């Protein structure tokens, strides 16, 4: 009977294909691209049938073909029937593939093509989007700044809007606090850059065709010295893909493992398939590459410092935020925003949903204090007390506040005695017993510029009120002072302050109301850090959930060589460098040094550059220009959407499409992995179908398809795509791996485009973070940390430190402080190595440059590219027809330099010169200038003073030095510059 069923299926297959082609244009078009003979047979040849695809037609024939282009050979009838189901069980399929119960033989590109055809037939009937009265179709998509409706008419995007929730969506939560009730708007708010994406889709900076540098000949002279100078010529996809595939082969055969290096940006377009942790990781693992050593660049001080006092390595050293919105609104009396500007940064991948909650706090009469060199957007909106401080000196002020708490006796003695260790040693340092220097408010005044009376007053008020501490953009973490030479000291001070005030007690916690909403965290949907389709259980968080829930083939990178991101230029130019491990699984792992090149491996000779640009975001990016022109890099390929920054330093450019031109699936703001429950900043959990709204412009392709096309030339396409899965098929597999099928059908989900996860009932609220610790109970918040082995005594009790308690003097740092005296276990104040104590350097460059996370773009994603963002005068300003990056400066500093509003200025130090337009403001402290750190425009011009950049890449100026000898964090906010009026003399333009 089973044999008859199989014969019937094989006989009917051409009819099924022809029927689908008649009904669906996409299938017809796919069919026309094939010219193959495909054979399906049993291993014993008892059943065999081959199919001839030619000229858009398909015919079936019984018997064995002598020379098929590709064939699938099944062990037996049961395996064949399981594999050929219209909607197969992928657990069965993956088992068959991994254990060779089915063999894919012949041409890889043929097998991939046939697999994609069959998947296209399965998906062709899906209906998506909603038809509007004006004739447009409304689709959904997900951006780095929130979910949007995308309206398309005649194949073109006409507008994008935030998503308003309907009556058929889950109800919103309500919080009752101090006699009032608070319910969020039923709208998914978005960041500014999300609503500007239509402009970037149709930008004149789009790369629409494969491009080759005109003086690059893969078979002759390569001229690496001309990268960034020479122009490009259009070539075909076949030529481009052949060059990339042949170069990968040459690297492996000529130099051996490690010769191909991959460099990618920290963030890019959203999605679980096309994200770098997904398809790029799978691609890299299949060819075997030197991996880029990452660093948690937005959380530096927390990862390299604060973590050692209380653990939370699986959160990169950040506190959690569970239940804190309700607790803050009910209990807190004051919020201290310290280097915290959530109205600029909008959380992490969030919109303005936290704004409404902060306004609720204002309505309730909660007091606000803002400590920052800039009276930032949050301070301007909420009001309160602004305390301007010299950049980088924040730890001194924090230490003086803690000194005052001890003197006044306004710290929580009971909490400290019960829940901490090392306090006596810390107290002796504060009081000057150990070094003879009491850390008084007067002591800090010389460092910070903050009057002693203000510090003493703040300490007394803080010590008498239940206070939330907002330390960084998220309420803890994300930018600011933590990305400076003193960033680890500061983050350590922040957690020490909270421990002294009873961290976890009602009204005493971290947060700025950006995070901590009531939410169902038990509903599972994978975040991007879980690896998507990568199959990588080592370099992603796949092992926590995704790998066990979505059957797919594991991928492993056999190359163990790592090139540190921050030391990449030295590695290329000098041929060697070293770094320190970023490992979210363990505090102690960060002490492990690694060297490049690794013994037995080749140095990198080919660079595969992927995703968003980095010149605007990586510290001291001037070094990268020399590195990319170094003759040891024989081939540089860049896979990108727009011509920006370092894209122009490639030998070959592969045009990727935007997220609106391909399929994907994801949850808004869901990172998972090492930042569990990041969606806790949203008012509504929203899982999104990222519709393919329009066809790819020009000849651009999705990242997934580009990888697949390259790998098909290397015989790895079928493995990469697991038999020809297209992106929509992968979306279905991810959907099936989640809890969504319990709530909504696949067809309905694809049609509507999103699902709102209902919040937990009011009767079962999420516990408040650290409340369990303050009350001496077992941990009860829903996060996968710490790991079982990290509990010092009884599982579930205490913190993941050696003592199981909060450690004012961490044992983990005490064990290594002899190796790194600038990273002492006792959190002493050590002035910045580039700041007011820098002697001649400070006299030459007396201004401290702050490069903050941008307000209007997401890293480099929204800047430039003819985006509407460029028209915001708080972002760029038009001077003589050119859009210049803004640099904020105090009236005092501007007057002493003879500057007027929007004068062009040269911002310079020994590393580089960048031209900006000055924004003179009473909201800036003197001695400090501030600009966003993520310009996407790198535009060098030749001047009498040499090459300068007028695109706004301020990170050309920032230092590439690590925080300390063993703390490998970046410190871009410890940067000295001078600013002078620019005379606009240009000799000639340079690429």
């Amino acid at each position: 009977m089973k044999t008859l069923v199989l014969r019937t299926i094989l006989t009917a297959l051409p009819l099924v294909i022809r029927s689908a082609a008649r009904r669906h244009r996409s299938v017809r078009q796919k069919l026309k691209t094939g010219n193959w003979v495909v054979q399906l047979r049993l291993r014993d040849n008892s059943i065999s049938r081959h199919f001839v695809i030619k000229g858009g037609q398909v015919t079936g024939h019984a018997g064995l073909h002598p020379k098929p282009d590709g064939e699938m050979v099944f062990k037996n009838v049961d395996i064949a029937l399981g594999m050929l189901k219209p909607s197969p069980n992928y657990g069965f399929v993956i088992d068959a593939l991994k254990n060779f119960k089915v063999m894919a033989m012949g041409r890889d590109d043929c097998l991939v093509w046939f697999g994609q055809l069959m998947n296209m037939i399965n998906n062709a009937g899906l209906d998506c989007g909603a038809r509007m009265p004006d004739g447009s179709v409304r689709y959904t998509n997900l951006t780095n700044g929130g979910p949007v409706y995308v309206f398309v008419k005649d194949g073109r995007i006409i507008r994008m809007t935030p998503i308003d929730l309907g009556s058929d969506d889950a109800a919103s939560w309500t919080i009752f606090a101090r006699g009032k009730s608070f319910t969020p708007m039923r709208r998914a708010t978005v960041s500014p850059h999300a609503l500007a994406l239509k402009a970037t889709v149709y930008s004149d900076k789009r790369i629409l065709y494969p491009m080759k540098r005109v003086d690059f000949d893969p078979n002759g002279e390569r001229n690496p010295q001309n990268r960034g100078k020479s122009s490009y010529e259009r070539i075909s996809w076949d030529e481009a893909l052949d060059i990339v595939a042949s170069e990968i082969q040459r690297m492996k055969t000529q130099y051996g493992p490690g010769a191909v290096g991959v460099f990618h940006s920290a963030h890019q377009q959203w999605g679980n398939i096309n994200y770098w942790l997904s398809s790029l990781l799978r691609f890299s693992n299949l060819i075997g590459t030197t991996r880029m050593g990452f660093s948690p660049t937005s959380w530096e001080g927390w990862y390299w410092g604060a973590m050692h006092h209380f653990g939370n390595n699986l959160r990169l050293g950040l506190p959690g935020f569970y239940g804190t919105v309700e607790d803050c609104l009910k209990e807190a009396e004051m919020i201290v925003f310290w280097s915290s500007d959530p109205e600029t940064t909008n959380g992490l991948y969030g919109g303005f949903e936290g704004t409404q909650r902060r306004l609720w706090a204002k309505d309730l009469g909660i007091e606000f204090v803002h400590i920052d060199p800039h009276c930032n957007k949050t301070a301007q909106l909420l009001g309160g007390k602004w305390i301007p401080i010299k950049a980088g000196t924040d730890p001194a002020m924090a230490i003086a506040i803690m000194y005052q708490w001890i003197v006044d006796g306004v710290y929580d003695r009971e909490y400290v005695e019960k829940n901490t260790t090392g306090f006596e040693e810390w107290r002796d340092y504060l009081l000057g017993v150990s070094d003879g220097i009491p850390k008084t408010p007067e002591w800090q005044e010389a460092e910070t510029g903050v009057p002693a009376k203000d510090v003493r007053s703040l300490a007394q008020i803080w010590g008498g009120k239940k206070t939330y501490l907002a330390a960084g953009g998220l309420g803890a973490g994300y930018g600011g002072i933590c990305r400076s030479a003193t960033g680890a000291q500061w983050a350590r001070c922040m957690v020490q302050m909270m421990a002294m005030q009873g961290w976890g007690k009602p009204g005493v916690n971290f947060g700025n109301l950006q995070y901590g909403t009531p939410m169902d965290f038990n509903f599972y949907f994978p975040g991007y850090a879980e690896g998507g389709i990568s199959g990588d259980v080592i370099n992603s968080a796949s092992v926590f959930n995704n790998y066990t829930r979505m059957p797919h083939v594991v991928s492993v990178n056999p190359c163990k060589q790592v090139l540190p991101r921050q030391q990449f230029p030295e590695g290329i130019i000098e041929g060697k460098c070293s770094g320190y491990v970023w490992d979210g699984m363990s505090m102690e792992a960060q002490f492990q040094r690694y060297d490049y090149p690794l013994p037995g491996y080749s140095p990198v000779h080919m660079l595969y550059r992927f995703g968003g640009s980095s010149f605007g975001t990586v510290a001291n990016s001037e070094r990268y220009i020399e590195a990319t022109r170094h003759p040891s890099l024989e081939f540089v390929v860049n896979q990108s959407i727009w011509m920006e920054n370092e894209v122009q330093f490639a030998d070959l450019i592969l045009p990727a499409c935007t997220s609106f031109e391909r399929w994907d699936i994801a949850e808004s703001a869901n990172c998972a992995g090492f930042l569990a429950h990041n969606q806790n900043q949203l008012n509504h959990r929203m899982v999104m179908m990222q519709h393919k709204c329009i066809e790819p412009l020009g000849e651009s392709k999705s990242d997934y398809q580009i990888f697949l096309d390259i790998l098909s030339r290397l015989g790895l396409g079928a493995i990469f795509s697991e038999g020809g899965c297209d992106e929509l098929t992968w979306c279905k597999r991810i959907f099936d791996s989640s809890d969504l099928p319990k709530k909504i059908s696949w067809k309905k989900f694809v049609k509507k485009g999103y699902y709102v996860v209902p919040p937990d009932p009011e009767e079962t609220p999420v516990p408040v973070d650290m409340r369990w610790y303050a009350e001496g109970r077992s941990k009860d918040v829903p996060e996968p940390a710490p790991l079982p082995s990290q509990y010092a005594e009884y599982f579930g009790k205490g913190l993941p430190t050696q003592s199981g308690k909060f450690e004012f003097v961490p044992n983990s740092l005490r064990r290594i402080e002899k190796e790194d005296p600038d990273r002492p276990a006792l959190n002493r104040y050590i002035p910045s190595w580039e700041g007011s104590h820098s002697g001649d350097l400070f006299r030459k460059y007396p201004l401290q440059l702050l490069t903050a996370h941008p307000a209007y773009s997401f890293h480099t994603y929204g800047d430039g590219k003819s985006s509407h963002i460029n028209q915001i005068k708080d972002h760029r300003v038009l001077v003589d027809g050119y859009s210049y990056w803004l640099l904020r400066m105090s009236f005092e500093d501007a007057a002493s330099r003879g500057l007027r509003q929007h004068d062009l200025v040269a911002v310079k130090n020994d590393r580089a010169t960048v031209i900006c337009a000055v924004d003179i403001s009473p909201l800036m402290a003197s001695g400090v200038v501030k600009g966003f750190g993520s310009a996407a425009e790198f535009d060098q011009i030749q001047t009498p003073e040499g090459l300068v950049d007028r695109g706004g890449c301020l990170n050309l100026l920032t230092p590439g030095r690590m925080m300390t000898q063993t703390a490998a964090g970046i410190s871009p906010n410890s940067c000295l510059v001078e600013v002078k009026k620019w005379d606009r003399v240009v000799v000639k333009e340079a690429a």
Side-chain angles (χ1 to χ4, degrees), residues 325-588:
V325 167
E326 184 169 6
D327 180 63
C328 182
L329 294 177
K330 285 183 174 180
E331 301 287 348
E333 297 167 291
M334 184 167 73
I335 301 176
V336 175
F337 291 83
W338 201 321
S339 194
S340 178
D341 185 13
E343 296 304 322
T344 287
T345 54
N346 306 122
L348 181 65
Y349 317 121
F352 286 92
E353 302 188 22
T355 304
Q356 184 181 18
R357 301 191 287 266
R358 284 183 284 275
L359 291 174
W360 291 343
K362 184 174 183 178
D363 182 50
L364 289 173
I366 295 175
E367 296 181 41
F368 303 123
V369 175
H370 307 271
I371 304 171
D372 197 294
H374 177 212
C375 187
N376 56 47
K377 294 181 185 297
T378 304
Q380 294 171 46
L381 175 69
L382 299 179
K385 174 71 173 177
W386 172 41
I387 302 177
I389 187 172
K390 288 182 183 177
T393 65
D394 305 66
M397 180 176 172
I399 288 170
I401 290 173
M402 287 184 273
Y403 163 91
Q404 195 66 41
W405 285 346
I406 291 175
V407 171
D408 293 342
V410 291
Y411 69 95
D412 194 324
R413 293 175 182 270
E414 180 185 4
Y415 185 98
V416 167
E417 292 173 2
K418 177 182 175 183
N419 295 305
T420 75
T421 65
F423 181 73
E424 293 78 9
E425 186 177 353
W426 176 242
R427 179 195 61 204
D428 288 348
Y429 169 70
L430 295 177
L431 297 178
V433 174
S434 57
D435 62 1
I437 305 173
K439 310 308 180 295
T440 64
E442 286 74 18
W443 164 82
Q444 66 83 46
E445 184 173 340
E447 285 293 314
T448 68
V450 179
K453 65 179 180 61
D454 291 345
V455 172
R456 186 170 287 108
S457 174
L458 175 60
Q460 291 168 347
I461 294 171
W462 190 338
K465 292 182 181 291
K466 292 186 289 185
T467 300
Y468 261 62
L469 175 56
L474 306 185
Y478 199 41
I481 185 61
C482 87
R483 303 201 308 171
S484 72
T486 59
Q489 297 175 48
W490 171 77
R492 294 177 66 183
C493 284
M494 296 298 101
V495 294
Q496 289 176 305
M497 295 176 89
M498 292 307 298
M500 288 183 68
Q501 289 300 322
W503 185 6
K505 288 187 174 182
V508 181
N509 222 310
F510 278 99
N512 54 22
L513 294 168
Q514 185 64 37
Y515 276 74
T517 56
M519 192 169 278
D520 179 3
F521 297 106
N522 300 122
F523 184 96
Y524 174 73
F525 190 87
Y528 72 71
E530 291 188 66
I533 70 169
S534 70
D536 191 323
V537 297
I538 299 172
N539 299 304
S540 77
S542 173
V543 292
F544 290 118
N545 282 298
N546 191 39
Y547 188 67
T548 60
R549 297 183 65 127
M550 186 179 79
H552 56 293
V553 176
V554 68
S555 74
V556 176
N557 188 353
C559 178
K560 304 305 178 186
Q561 181 166 269
V562 178
L563 181 53
R565 183 189 192 199
Q566 284 303 122
Q567 284 71 48
F568 165 78
E570 289 79 3
I572 299 300
I573 298 167
E574 301 172 16
K576 62 181 180 179
C577 65
S578 62
Y580 282 82
V581 172
W582 169 38
D583 184 343
M585 298 288 186
S586 163
M587 284 193 296
E588 289 72 22

Side-chain angles (χ1 to χ4, degrees), residues 228 939-942 947 988-991:
D939 184 10
Q940 281 193 325
I941 54 175
Q942 187 65 258
L947 284 173
K988 63 178 181 178
E989 295 199 9

Side-chain angles (χ1 to χ4, degrees), residues 101-144:
K101 298 174 185 178
V102 59
M103 299 285 288
M105 305 172 69
R107 290 185 56 172
D108 192 78
D109 51 353
C110 169
L111 295 168
V112 170
W113 182 92
F114 187 72
Q116 288 191 324
L117 174 67
M118 301 311 296
N119 281 304
M120 184 176 289
I121 290 170
N122 286 335
N123 295 322
L126 283 174
D127 185 21
C128 63
R131 299 202 173 274
M132 298 286 102
D134 65 353
S136 65
V137 179
R138 187 189 68 193
Y139 297 105
T140 61
N141 215 287
L142 185 54
T143 74
N144 281 320

Side-chain angles (χ1 to χ4, degrees), residues 696-770:
L697 300 188
E699 293 181 3
S700 63
K701 300 183 180 185
S702 71
D703 292 312
Y704 175 85
Q705 189 62 46
I706 294 172
F707 294 138
L708 179 55
D709 288 346
I710 294 170
L711 292 172
S712 293
R713 281 165 163 73
L714 299 171
L716 295 166
I719 298 174
F720 177 81
S721 63
E722 296 192 356
C725 284
D726 55 20
E727 286 150 302
L728 190 53
T729 302
W730 279 112
C731 288
K732 176 62 162 57
R733 293 174 67 176
I734 291 170
F735 173 91
D736 288 339
S737 76
S738 74
D739 286 342
L740 277 175
K742 303 172 185 176
K743 304 294 184 181
I744 187 173
S745 71
W746 168 243
K747 287 186 177 180
K748 185 175 180 181
F749 177 71
V750 172
K751 170 68 175 173
K752 183 176 183 179
Y754 69 91
Y755 176 76
V756 178
V757 180
D760 270 340
E762 293 179 14
E763 301 77 39
T764 56
V766 177
V768 179
D769 198 71
M770 291 295 281

